Amino acid sequence: MQEQSAQNRWELWTQRPLLALAVVFAVAYAVPIVDTSADHTLTTACTAVEWVVWGAFAADYVVRLALTSDRRRFVRTHWLDLCAVLLPLAQQLKLLRLVSTLLLVGRRARMASQIRMTTYVVGAVVGLLMFGSLAVLSVERESPDGNIRTLGDALWWSFTTMTTVGYGDHAPTTGLGRIIAVGLMLSGIALLGVVTANIAAWFIARFDKDDVEERAQTEAILALTQEVRALRAEVAALRDRPEGALPPGAPPRPAPHPSR
Amino acid sequence: MQEQSAQNRWELWTQRPLLALAVVFAVAYAVPIVDTSADHTLTTACTAVEWVVWGAFAADYVVRLALTSDRRRFVRTHWLDLCAVLLPLAQQLKLLRLVSTLLLVGRRARMASQIRMTTYVVGAVVGLLMFGSLAVLSVERESPDGNIRTLGDALWWSFTTMTTVGYGDHAPTTGLGRIIAVGLMLSGIALLGVVTANIAAWFIARFDKDDVEERAQTEAILALTQEVRALRAEVAALRDRPEGALPPGAPPRPAPHPSR
Amino acid sequence: MQEQSAQNRWELWTQRPLLALAVVFAVAYAVPIVDTSADHTLTTACTAVEWVVWGAFAADYVVRLALTSDRRRFVRTHWLDLCAVLLPLAQQLKLLRLVSTLLLVGRRARMASQIRMTTYVVGAVVGLLMFGSLAVLSVERESPDGNIRTLGDALWWSFTTMTTVGYGDHAPTTGLGRIIAVGLMLSGIALLGVVTANIAAWFIARFDKDDVEERAQTEAILALTQEVRALRAEVAALRDRPEGALPPGAPPRPAPHPSR
Amino acid sequence: MQEQSAQNRWELWTQRPLLALAVVFAVAYAVPIVDTSADHTLTTACTAVEWVVWGAFAADYVVRLALTSDRRRFVRTHWLDLCAVLLPLAQQLKLLRLVSTLLLVGRRARMASQIRMTTYVVGAVVGLLMFGSLAVLSVERESPDGNIRTLGDALWWSFTTMTTVGYGDHAPTTGLGRIIAVGLMLSGIALLGVVTANIAAWFIARFDKDDVEERAQTEAILALTQEVRALRAEVAALRDRPEGALPPGAPPRPAPHPSR
């Protein structure tokens, strides 16, 4: 129990710094993509910052693993975190670093119990839109027959994809760009589902307020309770009567209850 | 309590005039966009009408603020209204005036408690379609490589966007046009959610009518009530019996219940 | 009450012939559009058949109006039927005849209580797809820059529109064609809503089956009933006891319940 | 009952081998489409494997028919299986063999009660995506003006279709390709419905947890049970009292119950 609590305290304590680091990562990821005229020094610095943020999340994973009591169970239930930590080591691909950092941030954000469902979904959608745009832009700009060449086009394309509108005036042409697009589409469907479900739940909750059967039950139970209370008063009256006090044929006592 | 009531009376009293002013705004907004051959006098008159309508809504905000008792709380809960009132002052942009007026109309319409949810959604969708078409038309017609040049095209594009069909035969090419498009897409998703939720709530309400468990409960409660009533009759019979009247071994009395 | 019953009997009796006439209308509508080499005689015959079917539905409306007791109320609640009957008279437009016949068939089909919701929706979708394709084909084939020129293209376009996929390889270019398209899009959204709602209702019904709270209630009520039954046995035992028979300090009687 | 059990045992026993055969079919179907340079021997071998897998499913149908007790009912409730078995015999079309095998696999997978709804839907979607891509690729590659010519394009097109995004950068141009596309679109709508319904059911279940009315009922029933228990104690006390032990006018006994 002590270890569990230490883990919890660590997670609570590192939550805000890690989310701040995620913002730093976002800036370091965006700068070399948006500012194409950036010189080598800036690009190298940004890559270094990305690795530092990834390192912080990796260290967070190791510390949490050290603080937990049942380490085997922790690895089993957090296998996605482990993959996200190990993935960028396997290949020096920029995109993998992005995906794994997004995954780690998402896992930590979901852990924060004070963040409510709707906030989490909205945050995830905004994050996916932003990083999807940047990733597609960096991938498609290299392609000779690509048609997503400015940040504006990339953002516009992300919106038309996520809302499943899909005009087709801009569309990824490379394999990597299309894989990112599939991720955005699936997120869009999930977003649509969450919006619809939210509205539906609200509608149904309002419908249920007027539910007739439920009210009938509550009223039936209340009536029944009334009945039992009256019965108990009757028994109590019966018990307090001094036995043999009234001769046979004595006049009836005054009714202690209206509906005897 | 007196102030609250004064505010309510004001809101009820100004509701219809403000909605009428919204229609006037719509006409004044549409005329210079649809009638491209309109001379300078007409355009100026229309802009003046737009400012007058905006002024009426701004005055409405000020009056409501004056009539409320807790002004700090009013500003906090109506910050969107305040933004909508101040926005067109910051910049003389036609589009900002449109957005802020739409916002103000929407806030007042939502306040009108006699307008039901479905009416509100349908009204919002029709309004967004109409103003979205006009706004995109006025923005895209200026663009050299725009492809939305007539009111028909703009309306058609709005419909394909809001239903998330997105053929791509017409699509905005300017930044402003795309921002309007994103607004239409998000409204379209919300519309889809409301339609689905409405149908789902209706379906589920019908499903629930046949709910077996609920009925079983009500029947169980009724049977229990019957049982308690019989018990009470029993106790009452017991109490009314003159004690010592019957010798041991006397023949059993006829059962007094169920209908004593 | 007699009139109401006469109206009901008429509606039940004419239901099948009217649905059969709707199929005849479908064939008469489709033939001149699909078979472009049809000579004048065939086209005229088909137009005549269309008018006859429309006339049958108009006669049905008149008979129902005659059979009803409260005619003013009938006209008020069936204003859409009246519009559909009068619409084709105002203008000799082929499309209006189609829309009004579809409307009349839909109103009569909805009236048939033995047709279930799902069947009605599926039927409406198939009908709208078929007639939407034919109508768009007949409108767009005339347009010089139209791109829907064969029945295959028209059907394909209808599907991509109704499912809101909207590739944009085919899209209507004329005003009439686009109005038909908007109808198909809205139907598609409604269809999506019905499908989702159906699945959601089924899911929720299954969820509710496992509802813990509900079961806890039923169990609580059953336990309570057991309790009351035991109590009643107790009271009955108390009542049947010959008073004064047992001296104070007598050994306790064997418990008479539960199975006296 | 014996036969029913034999059929059940057969279905349980053949389930895994049949699903393994489905994977073999997938490979045999994919190889000649993906590897266009495959020589005649390989293609013939793959076609043979396809027929063998189809034969295994046909044999499975025959064995299940033989093992069932009420054969007429089996044929009636499994008419889709019969069609799927007979379809490829009627025409030597590769596509029909694919559709019928997919149908048979789907029917057997649905039968496996240990496979849960979500797994089934995800499996069906992945399978439809994969086979839809392969089928469209094999059909469209032959077409002179087709634009789906590589496996990557086909997979990308399948994703944009199933999520109803529909960019239109790739779209089938042949009749067969479009029929496959319609299948994918309808599956996509169903998938969207399942995702939304899943989220909605989860939301509503959470909403219901907080349902006030339900809790009020349970509390009311518990309070009532308390009341009845107290009543029973009262009656028991009344019964165990030695009658005549206390003279009239004796001081009241100590209260046996707190709230008499």
Side-chain angles (χ1 to χ4, degrees), chain D residues 233-257:
Chain D
E234 189 102 8
V235 171
L238 174 67
R239 189 197 202 184
D240 290 348
R241 188 173 54 176
E243 267 122 66
L246 292 171
R253 289 145 296 139
H257 196 266

Side-chain angles (χ1 to χ4, degrees), chain C residues 4 14 35 40 49 67 77-78 86 95 97 120 123 139 152 171 181-182 186 189 201 227 250-252 260:
Chain C
Q4 177 66 28
T14 52
D35 180 11
H40 191 68
V49 168
L67 287 176
T77 56
H78 293 72
L86 296 180
L95 196 66
R97 221 149 56 226
Y120 180 72
V139 165
V182 166
L186 296 181
I189 283 190
E227 191 81 12
R260 209 156 38 112

